[in-house]
Amino acid sequence: MTGQIIIAYLADLIFGDPRWLPHPVVMMGKGIALSERLLLRPGLTERGKKWAGCVLVGLVVGGTWVLAEGSLRLARCYDWRLGVAVSIFLAYTTLATRSLGREASSVVERLGAGDTTGARKRLAGLVSRDTRHLDDSEICRAVVETVAENTSDGIVAPLFYLGIGGPALALAYKAVNTLDSMVGYRNSRYLDFGWASARLDDAANFLPSRITALLIVWVSFVLGRDWKKALETAWREGRNHESPNAGFPEAAVAGALGIRLGGPSVYFGEVLQKPYIGKAFEPVSVQRAGESIGIMFGVSLAMVAAVAVTLMLVSALS
């Protein structure tokens, strides 16, 4: 499995997510939307909505694992080489290093060229907040925050679950993450229906988010950034976030780059006042936003190396 994970990681760096290629996450999204229409019916009580949300989780996460594991077993039965190819492909689809770097870089490049309007439009495809009235510093802050959070969700966590349980488990994790991004909101529609999805996502990301923060500290040391401040800020302010997990990588990046994250953001027409992370640090500049992308690539390399070494050690000791 070690070699397959490395090949999948390299394939992601080279190809990213081509729009013409069918992607499991897109199919997950369609399945979630269809299931929501069937399960979230008018007149349900709060308890009924929670039970419906639990059924949704079981269908989507369980169904994803069964389909992925079934595909792998069928491919291996036909030919072991086909099994390896399918395993590499499925592992590749769980990773988002190049696509995250490309999308974030496109925002930073537009800001660097003075195209604030273009940067807002590109950012709107990357974050769920309202980007229409953000100034340059707020755009840069949004870039750093989403890069830090998605370094955990889109890179470290999939590699973590690939190492533990292979492509089927990593895809099941992606199903959990997709559920949270679609129904895990604390609004009148999803507060109860999305409760199970949000709680499962919190549990699934508990270890990966903290591993991400530690890797950011390590990469900061390698790159000559302020790794001590990264560690101190992650430890002191990692819980300064509405999410129990996203604050840790954000705080580590804030400390490493000496910037301040958090503050007011607009979501679906409502202003959400996020706790500040990185007290007394500077607002985020275009340069610092670009540097956060470099840290993300460094973390991805460190994580794939850590998974590969761990798997080799386990194999040697077993």
Side-chain angles (χ1 to χ4, degrees), residues 293-308:
I293 299 170
I295 289 175
M296 178 271 292
F297 278 108
V299 168
S300 76
L301 183 60
M303 184 60 184
V304 78
V307 170

Side-chain angles (χ1 to χ4, degrees), residues 96-115:
T97 308
R98 174 161 180 167
S99 61
L100 177 59
R102 181 180 62 238
E103 294 302 315
S105 295
S106 69
V107 178
V108 173
E109 288 166 3
R110 280 165 174 74
L111 277 182
D115 182 11

Side-chain angles (χ1 to χ4, degrees), residues 2-316:
T2 304
Q4 295 173 27
I5 292 175
I6 293 173
I7 293 171
Y9 171 77
L10 293 175
D12 176 58
L13 285 183
I14 296 168
F15 301 111
D17 294 326
R19 298 188 185 279
W20 56 266
L21 187 67
H23 200 285
V25 173
V26 175
M27 290 184 279
M28 290 173 195
K30 292 179 179 179
I32 292 167
L34 175 60
S35 300
E36 179 184 341
R37 288 196 295 271
L38 294 173
L39 293 169
L40 187 56
R41 300 190 176 188
L44 282 177
T45 64
E46 292 180 3
R47 184 181 180 86
K49 289 179 181 179
K50 281 193 175 183
W51 276 112
C54 291
V55 172
L56 175 70
V57 169
L59 287 174
V60 174
V61 179
T64 297
W65 187 89
V66 168
L67 285 172
E69 187 65 23
S71 299
L72 285 167
R73 293 190 183 189
L74 283 174
R76 289 166 185 158
C77 287
Y78 184 79
D79 189 297
W80 69 268
R81 288 164 293 193
L82 179 61
V84 170
V86 171
S87 179
I88 291 171
F89 173 74
L90 292 179
Y92 153 73
T93 64
T94 67
L95 302 173
T97 308
R98 174 161 180 167
S99 61
L100 177 59
R102 181 180 62 238
E103 294 302 315
S105 295
S106 69
V107 178
V108 173
E109 288 166 3
R110 280 165 174 74
L111 277 182
D115 182 11
T116 301
T117 301
R120 288 179 185 138
K121 291 179 179 178
R122 293 293 295 186
L123 180 64
L126 193 60
V127 300
S128 57
R129 73 188 70 183
D130 186 347
T131 66
R132 289 173 295 175
H133 305 294
L134 299 182
D135 61 25
D136 286 12
S137 178
E138 290 169 329
I139 293 171
C140 290
R141 172 169 69 87
V143 168
V144 175
E145 288 174 353
T146 196
V147 165
E149 183 174 356
N150 283 291
T151 297
S152 177
D153 294 356
I155 302 169
V156 172
L159 286 169
F160 177 79
Y161 288 108
L162 280 169
I164 292 176
L169 186 60
L171 280 166
Y173 164 77
K174 295 298 288 186
V176 172
N177 203 232
T178 306
L179 276 165
D180 182 63
S181 68
M182 292 183 67
V183 304
Y185 298 104
R186 295 179 181 176
N187 56 28
S188 58
R189 180 175 178 84
Y190 293 123
L191 181 63
D192 296 305
F193 183 66
W195 174 83
S197 297
R199 296 292 78 75
L200 184 58
D201 185 74
D202 289 343
N205 283 299
F206 183 86
L207 285 176
S209 65
R210 286 149 179 82
I211 292 170
T212 303
L214 291 174
L215 289 176
I216 289 170
V217 173
W218 168 249
V219 170
S220 299
F221 170 75
V222 173
L223 295 179
R225 299 295 174 192
D226 194 339
W227 67 271
K228 292 182 180 178
K229 187 65 73 175
L231 180 60
E232 176 188 338
T233 308
W235 177 264
R236 186 185 67 234
E237 300 181 39
R239 293 176 178 81
N240 288 2
H241 201 284
E242 68 273 16
S243 163
N245 299 314
F248 287 91
E250 287 188 21
V253 168
L257 299 180
I259 56 178
R260 188 178 70 173
L261 302 176
S265 298
V266 179
Y267 291 87
F268 308 108
E270 297 183 6
V271 178
L272 176 64
Q273 181 65 46
K274 297 181 178 181
Y276 284 108
I277 297 175
K279 297 174 182 176
F281 290 170
E282 298 176 359
V284 191
S285 64
V286 173
Q287 180 181 349
R288 293 293 181 260
E291 289 169 355
S292 73
I293 299 170
I295 289 175
M296 178 271 292
F297 278 108
V299 168
S300 76
L301 183 60
M303 184 60 184
V304 78
V307 170
V309 169
T310 301
L311 288 178
M312 287 188 289
L313 287 173
V314 169
S315 178

